[in-house]
């Protein structure tokens, strides 16, 4: 009665239903001790006898988890720094110690948390399904466990995550350690399948296996241990095994494709070209892989590294019920065969998928854990606390509905929140009471960190700690160079295949280059008669300028789309440290630039053929090709800091428009007495369009002598309103002087354009190195 009186005093300022619900919450939470479900949620008993489990068996952790697995303690994600443990969060529901100052602390506000503090354990060989409504923090929990919470998200990650080989009473200290994405310990299957669309499943797996073998060689270079490189066989054998195990042999040579595009994204080439390519290669185009096949390929790629845990974020996304069930059963089978803990988030699992799970984690909005334990015991647990699942209802659907908040009806929403808070409190109380979440001591934490760093130091150095000999250093150096060359070769082959197999894009760009050159030639007829007349000055300037702008935009847009589309795959490979950023960038440059410059060459040749430009064909080709290289390099630089195609386009288009505006030369002349401000000067320096236009104009007008104008002085005066001061010039050198290029040299301008290309490539390397994936490492979580 005293508790009720205190609560009534607290709720005098609240409206009727809110006050009643608050009192109801406190009364429910205060009655937790009357319900004994510790044995169910902790030890996983499935009948009434679990209520009588002795305290010794409840507290004997060695009896609970002898097989080892993944464990986390007080793991939480919040918008503000809130280093609360599960026990402190439990105090939020204990209103005996209720007072305003404590309750008003921001850490106790539900809106602060993406994932409330929780602890758990998933043993080796089991599949744990994380279920809950949208916004419950399922993916957040998975990212925190896998160490893939982005630093850029601005959230705070607290708690500890570690892996246990076993957890016996007399186990050695090295049985607990942190896992690392870079070492290939964690396999993370994202919601969306990301591939190089023009490759085949066999090529994708061979590439991943080859990079992994090269990484293993690098790791064992200092030790001189080559047996580890041979125990799993050749990378082709590894790929074949993965294809066979995951049922992909039938589509091993089919192009992966992108089913959101026509013809699977593979390009619809003409019949004669299609037959020729089929004769040269066994790669089949078709419509790409199906959703289930793509998902299985994603699983195969993640299993290349022989991980210690397997995490899957919505593995059934985009699949029908039959394919979804097959994928989940596949993950369950692999978890048992490899004896690794597996966790996957599931949005709405059907009954057959529910029965496939070994363990279940139920999350409510705000990341409140309402159950974590054996799947078979979930219905018994909720029955004991007053929520019995109907026999004709899918338990997964029932539990998700149980922790769902009705956002359309405010009154019902408050009732839902009250129920969820009670379920959350009930589960936390039972777990803490029975000590099923034992925390590692400070000494054990130090051992975990020390052992982790010791293992990595041993990997990166000799096993005996002796100083290596000179011959050993030289041999290791040569091996390192060879590994770099091998990785570069593999990256180059992949990029080349991605480019040359996209026949649709190649033919479109080739046709566009020819048609645009013809269009420009028809727009400026005064440049076609072969006469060097003053009235053709403006047309020559416009023709060369539009040609530069056109080819520059085409090269940039294509690079941005391709580079950004590959970003998700590259991020995954960077997380594993499969190669260095410089190796990837150089491979892209070597694979992309020859193809892009070939279109610039075609454009230059056709433009020269259809017009009366004075500049030689070789000069046109050289200038347009170098300008294309610079534009591609600019595309690399922008794409290296962009996380998606949309972001890349949002950055690339405004930048290109600015460079176009500052790079165009006014055909009516330049006023030397009105120089641009400092910002404009820097923008002009950074514009590849500016240097290319100036180089072409210098080559076109330097030494040009105009033919006599039949109209004489009166003809020049008639041209004055249209051409300005340029109507009075007598030769090309005067034109360059009026355009502000009187002292310009073609070779100097081309040199600056080449330097600018190098600067953009350097920026690309820095972008890939420092703007790549950055995550909050669970290893350093306190």
């Amino acid at each position: 009665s005293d508790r009720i009186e205190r609560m009534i005093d607290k709720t005098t300022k609240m409206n009727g239903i809110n006050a009643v619900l608050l009192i109801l919450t406190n009364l429910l939470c205060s009655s937790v001790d009357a319900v004994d479900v510790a044995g169910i949620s902790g030890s996983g008993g499935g009948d009434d006898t679990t209520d009588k489990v002795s305290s010794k068996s409840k507290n004997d952790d060695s009896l609970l988890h002898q097989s080892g697995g993944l464990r986390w303690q007080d793991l939480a994600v919040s918008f503000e720094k809130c280093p609360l443990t599960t026990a402190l969060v439990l105090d939020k529901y204990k209103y005996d110690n209720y007072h305003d100052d404590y309750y008003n602390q921001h850490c106790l506000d539900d809106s602060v948390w993406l994932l409330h503090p929780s602890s758990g354990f998933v043993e080796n060989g089991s599949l744990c399904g994380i279920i809950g409504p949208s916004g419950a923090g399922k993916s957040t929990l998975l990212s925190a466990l896998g160490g893939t919470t982005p630093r850029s998200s601005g959230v705070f990650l607290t708690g500890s995550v570690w892996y246990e080989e076993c957890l016996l009473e007399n186990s050695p200290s090295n049985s607990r350690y942190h896992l690392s994405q870079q070492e290939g310990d964690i396999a993370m299957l994202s919601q969306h399948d990301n591939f190089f669309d023009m490759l085949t499943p066999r090529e994708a797996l061979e590439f991943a296996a080859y990079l992994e073998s090269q990484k293993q060689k690098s790791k064992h270079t200092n030790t001189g241990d080559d047996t580890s490189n041979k125990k799993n066989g050749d990378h082709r054998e590894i790929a074949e095994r993965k294809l066979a195990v995951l049922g992909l042999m039938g589509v091993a040579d089919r192009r992966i494709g992108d089913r959101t595009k026509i013809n699977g994204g593979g390009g619809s080439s003409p019949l004669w070209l299609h037959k020729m390519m089929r004769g040269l290669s066994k790669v089949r185009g078709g419509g790409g892989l199906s959703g289930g096949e793509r998902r299985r390929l994603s699983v195969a790629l993640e299993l290349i590294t022989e991980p210690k845990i397997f995490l899957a974020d919505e593995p059934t996304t985009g699949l029908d019920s039959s394919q979804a069930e097959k994928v989940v059963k596949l993950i369950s089978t692999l978890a048992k065969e490899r004896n690794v803990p597996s966790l996957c988030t599931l949005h709405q699992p059907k009954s057959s998928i529910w029965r496939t799970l070994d363990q279940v984690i139920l999350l409510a909005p705000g990341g409140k854990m309402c159950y974590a334990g054996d799947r078979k015991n979930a219905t018994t647990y909720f029955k004991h606390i007053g929520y019995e699942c109907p026999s004709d209802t899918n338990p997964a659907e029932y539990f998700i509905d149980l922790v769902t908040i009705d956002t359309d009806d405010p009154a019902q929403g408050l009732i839902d929140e009250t129920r969820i808070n009670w379920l959350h409190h009930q589960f936390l109380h039972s777990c803490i009471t029975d000590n099923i979440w034992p925390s590692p001591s400070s000494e054990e934490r130090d051992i975990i960190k020390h052992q982790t760093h010791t293992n990595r130091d041993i990997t990166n150095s000799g096993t005996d700690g002796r100083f290596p000999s000179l011959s050993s250093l030289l041999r290791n150096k040569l091996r390192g160079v060879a590994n770099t060359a091998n990785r570069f070769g593999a990256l180059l082959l992949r990029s080349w295949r991605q480019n040359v197999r996209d026949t649709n894009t190649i033919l479109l760009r080739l046709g566009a280059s020819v048609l645009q050159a013809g269009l420009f030639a028809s727009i400026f007829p005064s440049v076609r008669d072969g006469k060097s007349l003053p009235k053709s000055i403006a047309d020559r300037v416009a023709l060369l300028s539009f040609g530069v702008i056109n080819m520059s935009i085409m090269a940039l847009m294509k690079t941005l789309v391709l580079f950004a589309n590959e970003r998700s795959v590259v991020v995954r490979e960077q997380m594993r440290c499969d190669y260095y950023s410089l190796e990837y960038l150089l491979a892209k440059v070597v694979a992309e630039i020859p193809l892009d410059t070939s279109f610039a060459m075609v454009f230059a040749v056709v433009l020269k053929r259809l017009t009366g430009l004075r500049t030689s064909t070789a000069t046109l080709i050289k200038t347009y090709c170098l300008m294309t290289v610079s534009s591609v390099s600019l595309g690399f630089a922008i794409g290296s800091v962009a996380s998606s195609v949309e972001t890349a386009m949002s950055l690339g288009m405004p930048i290109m428009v600015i460079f176009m505006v500052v790079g165009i030369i006014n055909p009516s002349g330049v006023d030397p007495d009105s120089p641009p401000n400092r910002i404009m000067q820097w923008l002009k320096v950074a514009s590849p369009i500016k240097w290319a236009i100036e180089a072409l104009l210098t080559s076109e007008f330097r030494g040009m002598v105009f033919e006599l104008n039949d109209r004489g002085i009166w003809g020049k005066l008639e041209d004055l309103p249209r051409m300005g001061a340029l109507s009075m010039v007598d030769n090309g050198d005067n034109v360059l002087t009026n355009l502000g290029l009187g002292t310009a040299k073609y070779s100097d301008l081309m040199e600056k354009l080449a330097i600018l290309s190098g600067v953009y490539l350097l920026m690309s390397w820095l972008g890939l190195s420092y703007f790549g994936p950055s995550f909050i490492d669970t290893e350093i979580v306190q």
Side-chain angles (χ1 to χ4, degrees), residues 740-752:
L741 302 174
T743 60
K745 295 182 179 180
Y746 175 80
S747 58
D748 293 341
L749 296 171
M750 292 292 286
E751 180 181 351
K752 292 179 181 179

Side-chain angles (χ1 to χ4, degrees), residues 519-537:
L519 177 64
F520 292 155
S522 63
I523 292 176
F524 305 104
S526 64
V527 188
R528 286 190 297 170
D529 55 11
K531 295 181 181 181
S532 300
L533 299 176
K535 67 178 183 180
S536 69
I537 294 176

